[in-house]
Amino acid sequence: MLTLPPFQYHRPTSVAEAVALLGEHGGKAKLIAGGTDLVPNMKHRLHTPEHVIGLRDVAELHRVGSRDGALTIGAMVTLADLARDERVSAIFPSLTKAASQIAGPQLREMGTVGGNLALDTRCVYYNQTYFWRKALGYCLKKDGTVCHVVKGGQKCVAAASNDTAPVLIALGATVRLVSPRGAREVPLDQFYVADGVKNTVLEPDELLTEVRVLLPQGRLVNGYQKLRIRASIDYPSLTVAVAAWLEKDGSAQWIRMVLSALGSRPHPVKRIEHLFGKPIDAAAIEELGQAAFKQCHPLTNINVDPGWRRQMIPVFVRRAWAQALAIRS
Amino acid sequence: MARPSKQLVRLDVNQDVHDVAVEPRTTLLEAIRYALRLTGSKQGCDKGDCGACTVLVDGRPVLSCISLAVEGQGRKITTIEGLADGNHAHPVQDAFDVCGALQCGFCQSGMMLSAAALLEQNPRPSRDAIKEALSGNLCRCTGYTQILDAVEVASGQRDVPERDERPTTVRR
Ligand SMILES: Cc1cc2nc3c(=O)[nH]c(=O)nc-3n(C[C@H](O)[C@H](O)[C@H](O)COP(=O)(O)OP(=O)(O)OC[C@H]3O[C@@H](n4cnc5c(N)ncnc54)[C@H](O)[C@@H]3O)c2cc1C
Ligand code: SF4
C-alpha cells in the first residue's frame, strides 16, 4: 500500500481562477491534470505540495480546435482523445502514433497533453519509494548531494521521458503559458532546459493552457519511433521523431529530427543543414542516422542497457524516416 | 502541515449514490475498498503499473489507485460488483468462467472491466484490438491465452470450449 501525503484540494472552473490560486500558493502548490505522473510521485514522496489544484473542471482547457492557421490542443485533452482525433492523424500521424503508444490504455484515458509536456524527468534512482531512496542515499534531484548515474556529476541527468515532446518539437509547436503576470508563447524547443532536476522553464505559478502547431500548407512528412522493453505500459528507452517539408521536386526545404528519453531534455539533432534542398534518399537517411548516433549518448539513468539503446539510434532513425516517407505516398 | 479535514463527496458507484467522508489524499480505490467495502477492485502495485484497480469512470477504464476520490464526484463509476445486470452475469463474466480465463483471480476484475469497456465501443474486436485493450492489465499466472479467447467468446466470435470435467490432478 502506498499512501499519499496530506494536501488541500482546490477545484477551479476557469483558467483565471486556476492562475489566481497559483498566484496565492505558488511554490507550495502543484497542478493536477490526469494525475498519472503526479500521484505516483507523491506516493513516493518525491513531491509533497501543500495545495493541489485540479484542472478537470476548467472546460476551456479540454478543446481541440484550429485558430490562425494552427491546430490548438488544450492542455486537458486526454492522450486517448488525442490518439483518436482524425483531424490530427490526417496531418500529424507522428503525433497520433506518439499519443497512442504512451503507457497503457487506462493511463491514456487519464493522462493529458499538458501533463505529458510537463512530465517530471525520470531516473532509476529517483522513481523509487522513500524507503528505497533513503536506504541507498538520496541524490541531487531530491534531498541529496550526489548523482548515482554520473559519478562526481554536479548536474542531474534524469531522462525526459514524455513521448509527445520530441514529436511536437519536430513539428515546430509552441506552448502558451499563463501566470498572474500575464501570458507568454514559448517555442517548445525552448520550453525544455538541460537540467534533470527541473527540465522546463515553467514557473511555479504558471499554467500551460494549450499547444499550437502550424497547419502545413504544403507537403509535410513526419514519423515517430519508440523503443521500449514491453509494447505497453513501459516508458520509452529511446524515441526518434522526424519531420520534413518536401518541395514539389521531392527535395527537402527543411528537416528536423529530435531524439529523447536519453538525457534531461529532448535533443534536436544538429548540423544537418547540408542535407536541406536535396531529396531524403537512403544516403541522406544513413547520414542522419550517423549524426544522431554521434550526438547522443544514453546513460544508466534508465534500467535498459545504454549500449543497446545507442546501437538502436541509427536503426530507429531509419524506421522513422521509412514511416514518414511511406505515409506520404 | 495540519491534516486537512475530511470532506463529503458524493460518489455514484454501480448506480448507488453514496456520500463518503474522505480526505483530499484518499484515492478512489481506497474510498471504494475501505469506505464502501467493495473489495472486488484490487490493490496491486498501487502506483499505476498493473491494472488490478481498473474501474470504469463514465464508461472508460481508469486506474483508481492513482485517482483522487474527490475527483470522482459527478461521474459514473462502475466496479466489478456492478458489471452483472442483476442476477445475469455480463457476457464477459460468463466467458471468463467457461474459458477458465483465470487462476489466482487477482487481475480478473480489472481484466473484465477493460474487456467490457472494449466491447461497448467495438462489439466484434479483432484479436489485436483485444490485446491492445487489455495491454494495461498484467496477469502473472495465465499467459493471457485463455483471457484473449474469453473476450472472443464474449463477443460471439469463438465457440464456447467444451468443459473438461476430469479433475485437474489426473489430467495428462
Ligand atoms: C505505468 C506508467 C507508464 C507510463 N508510461 C509513459 C510513457 O510511455 N510515455 C509518457 O510520455 N508518459 C508515460 N507515463 C506518464 C504519464 O501517464 C503521461 O506522461 C501523462 O501524459 C501525464 O499526464 P497527466 O495529465 O496524468 O499529468 P499529471 O500527473 O496530472 O501532471 C504531471 C506534471 O505536470 C504538471 N502539469 C499538469 N498539467 C499542467 C498544466 N496544464 N500546466 C502546467 N503544469 C501542468 C503537474 O503539476 C505535474 O507536475 C506513464 C505513467 C505510468 C504510471
Ligand atoms: S540522474 Fe543522478 S541526480 Fe538525477 S535523479 Fe538520477 S541519480 Fe539522481
Side-chain angles (χ1 to χ4, degrees):
Chain A
M1 233 169 111
L2 290 166
T3 56
L4 280 167
F7 56 84
Q8 282 188 12
Y9 178 74
H10 306 266
R11 199 166 180 160
T13 54
S14 67
V15 167
E17 211 186 313
V19 169
L21 281 163
L22 281 174
E24 193 180 330
H25 302 295
K28 293 182 175 168
K30 272 275 182 194
L31 295 167
I32 187 167
T36 61
D37 179 45
L38 185 67
V39 173
N41 286 353
M42 284 176 65
K43 285 188 165 191
H44 287 165
R45 301 301 186 270
L46 298 169
H47 302 290
T48 49
E50 285 182 21
H51 300 269
V52 170
I53 303 169
L55 296 177
R56 208 171 278 279
D57 291 345
V58 184
E60 55 203 290
L61 297 178
H62 289 264
R63 295 187 200 117
V64 178
S66 52
R67 205 176 55 240
D68 306 333
L71 174 78
T72 57
I73 308 167
M76 287 299 288
V77 171
T78 65
L79 300 168
D81 283 340
L82 180 65
R84 285 189 280 256
D85 198 306
E86 286 169 5
R87 286 165 296 181
V88 175
S89 58
I91 313 167
F92 305 119
S94 59
L95 184 56
T96 301
K97 192 141 195 263
S100 65
Q101 293 187 356
I102 291 172
Q106 302 97 318
L107 288 156
R108 290 194 293 273
E109 294 290 349
M110 306 171 71
T112 65
V113 172
N116 191 246
L117 290 176
L119 186 78
D120 197 1
T121 53
R122 298 188 57 83
C123 174
V124 64
Y125 299 101
Y126 172 70
N127 296 101
Q128 303 287 354
T129 58
Y130 180 77
F131 174 81
W132 192 105
R133 289 183 293 115
K134 186 173 170 214
L136 180 77
Y138 305 115
C139 75
L140 278 175
K141 184 159 163 68
K142 180 69 186 155
D143 302 330
T145 53
V146 295
C147 175
H148 301 303
V149 171
V150 180
K151 297 275 175 270
Q154 281 312 304
K155 209 165 188 186
C156 171
V157 290
S161 306
N162 24 17
D163 281 274
T164 66
V167 173
L168 287 166
I169 293 173
L171 296 175
T174 59
V175 285
R176 187 177 150 85
L177 310 179
V178 181
S179 75
R181 296 174 304 285
R184 57 177 176 147
E185 189 96 10
V186 180
L188 197 59
D189 66 348
Q190 289 164 34
F191 179 71
Y192 295 103
V193 294
D195 180 356
V197 174
K198 181 178 163 297
N199 77 337
T200 72
V201 299
L202 260 180
E203 299 289 343
D205 60 356
E206 250 175 342
L207 170 70
L208 191 162
T209 58
E210 69 177 18
V211 187
R212 283 166 51 87
V213 202
L214 277 184
L215 289 163
Q217 301 293 322
R219 296 162 28 115
L220 176 85
V221 294
N222 55 113
Y224 185 62
Q225 289 289 317
K226 169 177 186 170
L227 177 70
R228 53 177 167 174
I229 302 286
R230 298 174 293 190
S232 184
I233 304 177
D234 285 341
Y235 278 93
S237 310
L238 165 70
T239 56
V240 179
V242 301
W245 192 278
L246 298 188
E247 303 286 8
K248 283 217 175 60
D249 65 1
S251 63
Q253 193 190 86
W254 53 256
I255 297 173
R256 288 198 207 111
M257 191 162 71
V258 184
L259 272 67
S260 197
L262 301 172
S264 56
R265 58 156 294 172
H267 175 77
V269 176
K270 300 182 187 79
R271 296 181 292 281
I272 53 174
E273 291 76 9
H274 62 284
L275 296 170
F276 295 9
K278 298 178 203 161
I280 308 173
D281 54 15
I285 293 171
E286 189 57 35
E287 238 183 278
L288 288 163
Q290 284 312 314
F293 181 79
K294 281 195 198 117
Q295 291 174 31
C296 296
H297 303 273
L299 302 160
T300 53
N301 48 6
I302 299 176
N303 230 346
V304 180
D305 179 27
W308 179 57
R309 284 155 72 206
R310 185 146 194 246
Q311 292 301 322
M312 289 306 281
I313 290 174
V315 178
F316 269 47
V317 166
R318 235 174 0 248
R319 289 186 194 166
W321 282 111
Q323 188 205 353
L325 298 166
I327 280 164
R328 184 177 60 89
S329 62
Chain B
M1 67 180 280
R3 191 172 279 189
S5 56
K6 287 193 173 182
Q7 57 195 78
L8 270 190
V9 293
R10 179 158 290 186
L11 294 180
D12 176 344
V13 180
N14 305 330
Q15 299 177 7
D16 285 334
V17 176
H18 306 264
D19 287 321
V20 189
V22 297
E23 285 181 62
R25 66 171 181 153
T26 306
T27 63
L28 183 58
L29 179 65
E30 288 162 350
I32 288 171
R33 284 181 62 87
Y34 307 120
L36 303 183
R37 301 269 164 201
L38 295 172
T39 53
S41 307
K42 298 302 176 199
Q43 200 158 15
C45 68
D46 218 10
K47 60 188 181 71
D49 291 345
C50 77
C53 68
T54 302
V55 300
L56 305 184
V57 173
D58 296 332
R60 306 307 307 150
V62 306
L63 302 175
S64 60
C65 78
I66 53 171
S67 300
L68 300 181
V70 288
E71 296 202 329
Q73 177 140 332
R75 311 181 81 191
K76 287 203 173 312
I77 298 161
T78 307
T79 69
I80 193 64
E81 289 88 348
L83 190 59
D85 180 6
N87 288 331
H88 298 281
H90 187 281
V92 166
Q93 291 173 309
D94 264 341
F96 268 63
D97 175 22
V98 297
C99 294
L102 61 132
Q103 287 181 28
C104 82
F106 203 82
C107 69
Q108 193 192 351
S109 321
M111 284 281 183
M112 293 201 294
L113 287 165
S114 288
L118 168 68
L119 297 186
E120 194 63 43
Q121 299 231 309
N122 180 0
R124 294 179 69 79
S126 65
R127 186 106 174 159
D128 279 345
I130 298 170
K131 279 188 193 166
E132 170 60 35
L134 297 186
S135 66
N137 294 86
L138 297 180
C139 171
R140 296 290 82 148
C141 327
T142 67
Y144 300 102
T145 307
Q146 278 108 318
I147 294 174
L148 303 176
D149 289 352
V151 184
E152 288 181 343
V153 168
S155 58
Q157 303 183 96
R158 170 184 284 270
D159 291 336
V160 176
E162 266 181 41
R163 256 188 207 275
D164 186 343
E165 300 295 352
R166 287 172 297 169
T168 46
T169 45
V170 297
R171 233 181 246 177
R172 288 279 178 270

